[in-house]
Amino acid sequence: MATKLIQEKTIEQWKSDYPVLQEVADINEVFWANPHYGEKANPILLKAENITEAAERLVRFAPYIAEVFPETAETNGIIESPLIKIPSMQRHLEKKYEVEIKGSLLLKCDSHLPISGSIKARGGIYEVLKHAEELAIQAGMLAYTDDYTILDSDTFKSFFSQYSIAVGSTGNLGLSIGIMSAQLGFKATVHMSADAKTWKKELLREKGVTVIEYESDYSKAVEEGRKQAGEYPNCHFIDDENSKDLFLGYAVAGSRLKQQLDEMGIIVDAEHPLFVYLPCGVGGGPGGITFGLKKEFGENVHCFFAEPTHSPCFLIGQATGLQDQISVQDLGLDNRTDADGLAVGRASGFVGKTIGHMLSGCYTIEDERLYSLLRDAADNGNIFLEPSAVAGFYGPVQLFRQPAGQDYLQKNKLQHVAENGYHIVWATGGSMVPKDIMEAYYQKG
Ligand SMILES: *Cc1c(COP(=O)(O)O)cnc(C)c1O
């Protein structure tokens, strides 16, 4: 068999040039600090102003959202999640891993985002709304200044029913897009990878969404979805690997988080750095949020991505600079993990190029540890999360425990201010997991 070459080098050569790849291939947990952190963006694919436009669009839709999803009435139709302090989990992690986590630990509960119970309620729902708005405006049925509650009517539902929306997903993106599309009246098709959980497929079918299942992984489901959608002119394909709209929907989290921190009296500045730990699949969710956070906090926020040891696609894309030209399968990994939202073998090239220089680092975590952290969060805070969503808890542990983490703190002159810092673990999903399945996760931990 001919040896596979990636940009004229064999995998062995790549490994010898970038030793972290060998560690990754050996399925060891790694902590990688990004040597290109803080460099200039090249090329600039999106501007910070684009986030404001997305935030304004979500405000236009808020009255409609409040009406059709009563659980958002409390926040006037703004889909947002709580930010809470978790001191007992912090003490527990310190004891368990014999490490001092300097500063305070907080949890961003996207697990409890209304409508679809995961981080995908940001990007996924945003892109569906944007598409609906564009269609309605083009048809002369809607103006930006209208009260958008008019969308909740037979007239609009029958208008949207002429159009369809499709997406490829490991589960949660399909849930968000399926639920939102069905509510507006669109025909929706979700192409699900083999790792998607049965309950997610069933829930979508109940809502009238067409679910197509694949034996293969996420990249294949996306490819098939993209191909099939391309054959229908009235079908909009939501492309998790390339979509700027999805990305901007996630990015709105930056200003929202700033507001929450303000309300809690937390100031982020050079003396009070903010560290954020985000579970990463293809990169859109954590990448968009990083983009939004950097706009708000600049060099005072430090974003780390967490990936399963079997699926560290973003880490290898960044470490080599190859972005989506390398997959975890190229390193001999199987891309199998119980962290279904993170079971992605090839990262988004668009996201990698857009935020690569903003990323502080990546680390990997074993599935077994995910279950153990899942149980810890339940026992030490009564917080129930899905396996992917707990990956962030390991971030502060590794930052303070690993030599590469210590180096990062030193290099960025954070040692003496770490005491005053804040660590936000981004909990990306879990509130919609059925009780019996959550119980099984807990027992496994
Ligand atoms: C999708 C997902 C992520 C990661 O988002 P990407 O855009 O795929 O990087 C993290 N956690 C959960 C629970 C998810 O569903």
Side-chain angles (χ1 to χ4, degrees), residues 24-69:
V24 165
D26 291 342
I27 324 187
N28 292 330
E29 287 184 337
V30 300
F31 186 96
W32 172 81
N34 181 8
H36 302 293
Y37 175 61
E39 289 177 3
K40 277 215 157 53
N42 183 32
I44 295 173
L45 298 170
L46 276 175
K47 293 201 276 285
E49 297 91 89
N50 297 126
I51 310 175
T52 312
E53 205 184 296
E56 287 168 359
R57 179 165 288 112
L58 289 169
V59 170
R60 287 198 290 278
F61 272 97
Y64 166 76
I65 297 288
E67 187 151 304
V68 296
F69 297 109

Side-chain angles (χ1 to χ4, degrees), residues 117-120 170-173 200 218 240 250 278-287 314 340-342 344 386 388-389 426-430:
S118 84
I119 188 173
K120 304 295 193 309
T170 60
N172 286 338
L173 186 63
K200 293 181 183 173
Y218 159 87
D240 203 10
Y250 290 119
L278 296 141
C280 177
V282 73
F314 210 84
D340 48 338
L342 314 185
V344 179
E386 58 184 285
S388 338
W426 212 284
T428 46

Side-chain angles (χ1 to χ4, degrees), residues 368-381:
E368 209 170 293
R369 198 183 306 285
L370 292 177
Y371 284 112
S372 130
L373 288 167
L374 186 149
R375 190 178 177 111
D376 294 338
D379 292 344
N380 296 279

